[in-house]
Amino acid sequence: MSDYDHEYDYDAGPDLRDDDGTEQHPWRHPVNIGHLVMGLAFLGLVVIWAVVVGTDIPNEDVRWLLPVPWVLAGGAGLVATAVAARRRASS
């Protein structure tokens, strides 16, 4: 018998239960809403920057574009908060 001939217990893994005892799926984890909002805002600012650099948008119109990522990211944060609250209330 070699050193590589051993059985592996695939069921023996980390305990995947939440604090309330419900089973948590291994491919799902809680989303940090602050990280989600800031990531979306950063992505939006990069898109706005790329649009401004790649096109000839007048400076007067840029001031209307810059708040858009913050508003959309804030809206996504509100939606994520509402969905998380609804999931907690239903379980």
Side-chain angles (χ1 to χ4, degrees), residues 25-80:
H25 297 289
W27 61 86
R28 297 198 51 163
H29 59 86
V31 175
N32 187 328
I33 296 174
H35 292 167
L36 173 71
V37 168
M38 292 309 293
L40 289 174
F42 179 73
L43 179 66
L45 289 173
V46 168
V47 168
I48 296 292
W49 171 79
V51 167
V52 168
V53 169
T55 61
D56 55 347
I57 294 179
N59 288 340
E60 296 82 29
D61 292 339
V62 173
R63 66 185 173 129
W64 294 104
L65 290 175
L66 288 177
V68 170
W70 298 107
V71 172
L72 293 178
L78 289 173
V79 168

